[in-house]
């Protein structure tokens, strides 16, 4: 069974940093569109960042310049480096995979995701 397992969430103060990891079993990360989504309390799911087969990435405007998505194909792991964290970054963060090399734009990607992780909670205090 395809699995995505997130880790690295926690509670930090505003201005701090966190690195999330996503271990991808069975299909790995190298040949597919990988992404991070988040859902804040009472809000809809939001796309945060994507990375395609070639390593090209896109970001939501709200995180540009602060978050960096990356992957280690040998380790079958996706990462999200988050810095200059703000209280509004508080959310459950989900790793996602589309079993296709092409990444749709973030706003469209959610509906074509094949695999989801169970999430890791990030809480930013002011």
């Amino acid at each position: 069974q395809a699995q995505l397992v997130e880790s690295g969430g926690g509670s930090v103060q505003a201005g701090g940093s966190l690195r999330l990891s996503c271990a991808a079993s069975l299909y790995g990360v190298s040949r597919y569109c990988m992404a991070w989504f988040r859902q804040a309390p009472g809000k809809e799911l939001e796309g945060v960042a994507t990375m395609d087969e070639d390593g090209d990435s896109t970001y939501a405007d709200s995180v540009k310049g602060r978050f960096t998505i990356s992957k280690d194909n040998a380790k079958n792991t996706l990462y999200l480096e988050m810095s200059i964290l703000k209280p509004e970054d508080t959310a459950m963060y989900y790793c996602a995979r589309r079993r296709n090399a092409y990444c749709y734009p973030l706003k469209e990607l959610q509906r074509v995701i094949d695999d989801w992780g169970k999430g890791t909670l990030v809480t930013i205090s002011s």
Side-chain angles (χ1 to χ4, degrees), residues 21-98:
S21 299
C22 171
S25 66
L26 191 58
Y27 296 103
V29 301
S30 62
R31 296 187 294 147
Y32 304 108
C33 170
M34 301 298 300
W36 288 97
F37 288 80
R38 68 184 181 185
Q39 188 166 27
K43 295 192 175 181
E44 292 186 350
L45 194 67
E46 174 192 23
V48 174
T50 70
M51 177 163 277
D52 67 12
E53 178 187 31
D54 295 328
D56 295 325
S57 57
T58 65
Y59 296 92
D61 288 343
S62 58
V63 306
K64 276 181 185 175
R66 301 189 298 121
F67 289 13
T68 302
I69 188 172
S70 63
K71 61 180 179 176
D72 186 325
N73 292 335
K75 295 183 177 179
N76 291 326
T77 303
L78 181 74
Y79 302 100
L80 186 68
E81 296 272 4
M82 307 185 294
S83 63
I84 317 175
L85 284 161
K86 305 176 182 180
E88 50 265 43
D89 294 318
T90 293
M92 186 72 80
Y93 283 72
Y94 298 94
C95 176
R97 176 173 55 204
R98 178 173 186 251

Side-chain angles (χ1 to χ4, degrees), residues 104-119:
Y104 280 76
L106 266 172
K107 293 187 185 299
E108 303 170 33
L109 185 59
Q110 179 183 346
R111 63 182 176 83
V112 293
I113 290 294
D114 295 298
D115 305 307
W116 292 93
K118 294 188 177 184

